Amino acid sequence: MNKFTKRFSRSASLLALSALVLAACGGNADNDADTSGNNTDSGTTEEQTDGQTTLTWSVWDKDATVYYEPLIEAFEADNPDINVELLDLGSTDYMTVLGTQLSGGDTSIDVVTVKDIPGYASLVNKNQLEPLSELASDINLDQYSGTVEQITVDDEYYALPFRSDFYVMYYNKDLFDAANVDYPQNNLTFDEYDTLIREVSEKATEANGSKVYGGHYHTWRSQVQMYGLLDGENTLVSTDYSFLEPIYETVLAQQEDQIVQDYATLKTSSLHYSAAFYQNNVASLLMGTWFIPTLATAIESGESEDFNWGMVTMPLTEGAEEGTASGTITTLGISANSENKEASWKFVEFVTSEEGSQIIADTGTMPAIQSEEVINTIAASPGFPDDEQSKEALSVKTTYLELPLDEHSAEVETILNDAHDNIMTNNAEASEELEKAAGQVEALQ
C-alpha cells in the first residue's frame, strides 16, 4: 500500500526544523528501561548465538567516518549481549543498493542508515522500514527540533535523526585581511553578501597580484536553490519556481563578472569544493557543518594551504528571519525484515539519544540533538576558530530541509538538477527553465 495516499498539507511540508540550542532538554526517555513491551512483532524471535545477538548496521564510507566505532563501543559496553557489525554499501549509490538489498524479504540488515529524503520516501513507500511511533512513544521528540514532523507520513514515522547538518559561510580571514575588508557578520543578507564578495574579490586580487574569487558555489543545485527556502514561504516541491529567478540572476551575474568560478569549468574539471577552498584563492565558501572537522584536519595535515578561517551563518534572502539556514538530516531506522527488532530498537534509541549525540559531537561532527553541551564541544574541537562569531554561527534557530518529503521527491530532484545545469551553463534563460521545471513537477501530481 502506498504510504503517500494522503498528500501533505502546505503547512506540513514547510514545517521548519528549529535547531534551537537546548540547554537542558531531556534525552531519550528511559534509555536503560526494558523495551521488550515495545516489540513491534510479538512473534519475532531474536537470533542469538551463545546468548549474543548480532546486529548488522548498513552504512557508507565506514573507514572515513569517525563516529561509527565510538558509538558501537559505547553501546556494546552498555549492552554486552548485543554485537553490532557494520555493512558498508558504498556512498555513490548507497540508497539504490540498500533498497535492492532490502527487497524480496532480505533479513541480513537490521539497522538502516537513511541518507536523504528521496531515499527515505522510497523505503517507506515500499514498506521496507519498521514504524517507530509506538516504540518511541516515551521519547521527547522536541529534542529533534521539528525534524521528526518533517519525515512523518500519515501520523507515522519510520526513522529518527542522529545527524543534522546546516549550511554556514566559511571565510578565509587572511584574504579579507589582505583586502582590508571587514569580516562577514552573522545574519548577513544575500544582497550584503553579493556586495561583500565583490569587494573582497577585487581588493584581494589587487593586493595578492593574482586572482582571488570572492565566493564559491559547488556544482550541487542546492548551492543556489536553497536560498529560496529561507523565508519559509516556499518549497522545492512546487508548481511555481519563480521565487528562484532573482537568486539565479544574482549568481549568474557573479559568475559573469568572475567573482565566483565558472560552473561549467567546475563541472568539467570535477573540482571538489574542499580543493577549491584549500588553494587559498577563494575568500568564502557556503558549505555544511560537516566540513568543519575536514577543513581543520586538512590545514593541520598540510593538505590545505595554511590560513586562518572563520565562519558565519549563511546569507539571508528577503523575508528570512535571523538565525535561519537550510540543511539536511541523516536518520536511523529498522529494517521491516529484521529478525532482531527489539535489539535494533535499543541501538537506534541509543544512537539518537543525548548520549549518542555527545559521542558524535566528541568527534567534531554535528549530531541531531544540538544541546548547549554539544555546541560547546564542537566549538572546542581542534582547529575550530577561536572567535565568538564562529561559535555563534552554530546556534541557528530554524533550518529548512533542502527537499521536503514527498512521494515524488526523487523525480523532483532530477528535474531540479537538470534545470540547474541548464541555467548555470547558460543553455537556457532562468525564467524559461524554471517555468519548464514547474510544468514537469505539475505533471507528476
Side-chain angles (χ1 to χ4, degrees):
M1 179 180 177
N2 193 315
K3 300 292 187 190
F4 293 90
T5 51
K6 295 181 182 178
R7 300 293 297 170
F8 295 105
S9 68
R10 177 175 178 80
S11 60
S13 61
L14 289 177
L15 185 65
L17 9 94
S18 301
L20 291 172
V21 176
L22 306 174
C25 69
N28 283 15
D30 301 321
N31 208 35
D32 297 324
D34 179 9
T35 59
S36 59
N38 287 328
N39 195 341
T40 58
D41 183 356
S42 59
T44 298
T45 302
E46 302 290 313
E47 287 194 349
Q48 298 184 350
T49 303
D50 297 330
Q52 294 290 118
T53 298
T54 298
L55 300 178
T56 300
W57 177 16
S58 69
V59 300
W60 64 89
D61 291 346
K62 177 182 68 173
D63 295 334
T65 304
V66 293
Y67 51 79
Y68 291 148
E69 291 300 337
L71 285 169
I72 291 174
E73 289 174 6
F75 175 77
E76 290 180 343
D78 290 343
N79 299 272
D81 58 333
I82 303 175
N83 297 321
V84 180
E85 296 181 351
L86 294 170
L87 176 63
D88 193 335
L89 300 180
S91 61
T92 304
D93 298 308
Y94 172 80
M95 291 307 303
T96 301
V97 174
L98 175 64
T100 300
Q101 188 151 337
L102 291 178
S103 64
D106 182 273
T107 61
S108 62
I109 295 175
D110 299 295
V111 179
V112 177
T113 308
V114 185
K115 193 173 188 179
D116 52 37
I117 293 300
Y120 175 79
S122 177
L123 295 178
V124 170
N125 198 38
K126 294 176 182 177
N127 299 304
Q128 292 176 329
L129 293 178
E130 190 73 11
L132 296 185
S133 62
E134 183 177 348
L135 288 167
S137 59
D138 292 332
I139 289 178
N140 174 22
L141 298 181
D142 290 342
Q143 66 186 332
Y144 305 112
S145 307
T147 57
V148 176
E149 288 84 348
Q150 293 198 71
I151 59 172
T152 295
V153 182
D154 295 343
D155 301 321
E156 184 59 78
Y157 50 91
Y158 301 80
L160 287 176
F162 76 103
R163 288 282 315 279
S164 180
D165 286 287
F166 50 87
Y167 281 88
V168 293
M169 178 180 167
Y170 299 84
Y171 65 95
N172 185 319
K173 291 183 176 180
D174 293 350
L175 289 178
F176 274 85
D177 288 342
N180 197 26
V181 173
D182 291 339
Y183 296 153
Q185 300 295 307
N186 285 321
N187 300 310
L188 193 72
T189 70
F190 191 63
D191 288 341
E192 290 170 339
Y193 161 73
D194 179 53
T195 300
L196 180 67
I197 65 172
R198 287 176 176 277
E199 182 181 12
V200 72
S201 177
E202 177 186 352
K203 293 182 177 179
T205 296
E206 182 179 347
N208 285 11
S210 59
K211 180 63 180 177
V212 172
Y213 297 98
H216 184 84
Y217 299 101
H218 190 48
T219 54
W220 301 330
R221 60 152 191 87
S222 58
Q223 287 276 287
V224 178
Q225 294 175 3
M226 64 183 169
Y227 282 106
L229 308 177
L230 299 182
D231 62 2
E233 297 295 324
N234 299 293
T235 169
L236 289 181
V237 177
S238 178
T239 56
D240 181 6
Y241 291 113
S242 58
F243 63 91
L244 293 176
E245 189 174 345
I247 300 168
Y248 270 111
E249 289 176 351
T250 298
V251 172
L252 287 171
Q254 293 168 352
Q255 181 174 269
E256 176 68 22
D257 296 340
Q258 299 184 26
I259 305 303
V260 299
Q261 296 183 65
D262 178 70
Y263 171 88
T265 302
L266 292 173
K267 197 80 179 287
T268 302
S269 66
S270 298
L271 181 66
H272 196 266
Y273 62 82
S274 59
F277 200 54
Y278 293 166
Q279 293 172 6
N280 205 20
N281 66 346
V282 171
S284 69
L285 169 71
L286 184 77
M287 194 47 60
T289 48
W290 62 78
F291 188 51
I292 293 171
T294 304
L295 176 58
T297 300
I299 292 176
E300 176 66 24
S301 68
E303 180 184 358
S304 166
E305 293 283 332
D306 188 9
F307 57 85
N308 295 302
W309 62 280
M311 55 187 245
V312 293
T313 53
M314 71 176 291
L316 301 173
T317 45
E318 185 176 356
E321 295 183 1
E322 291 189 356
T324 301
S326 177
T328 61
I329 55 174
T330 308
T331 59
L332 278 189
I334 301 171
S335 169
N337 297 320
S338 170
E339 296 177 347
N340 304 300
K341 290 176 183 174
E342 184 178 341
S344 295
W345 167 243
K346 285 184 178 181
F347 184 68
V348 170
E349 184 181 27
F350 173 80
V351 173
T352 61
S353 69
E354 271 204 48
E355 183 178 356
S357 292
Q358 189 58 50
I359 291 171
I360 294 171
D362 285 340
T363 68
T365 309
M366 188 67 73
I369 300 175
Q370 294 161 7
S371 63
E372 183 176 0
E373 184 179 5
V374 162
I375 297 298
N376 288 337
T377 298
I378 298 292
S381 60
F384 191 88
D386 58 7
D387 62 281
E388 196 61 28
Q389 234 195 175
S390 293
K391 180 180 178 180
E392 290 173 358
L394 297 174
S395 303
V396 299
K397 297 178 181 178
T398 307
T399 307
Y400 292 99
L401 289 177
E402 290 180 15
L403 195 66
L405 180 60
D406 186 270
E407 62 177 315
H408 297 299
S409 359
E411 295 98 323
V412 172
E413 176 88 22
T414 299
I415 291 169
L416 293 177
N417 281 336
D418 289 344
H420 180 68
D421 194 68
N422 286 332
I423 294 170
M424 293 301 295
T425 54
N426 292 306
N427 285 334
E429 293 291 331
S431 58
E432 295 175 0
E433 192 65 22
L434 293 172
E435 185 176 353
K436 173 185 171 183
Q440 291 174 321
V441 173
E442 186 173 15
L444 297 174
Q445 310 303 318

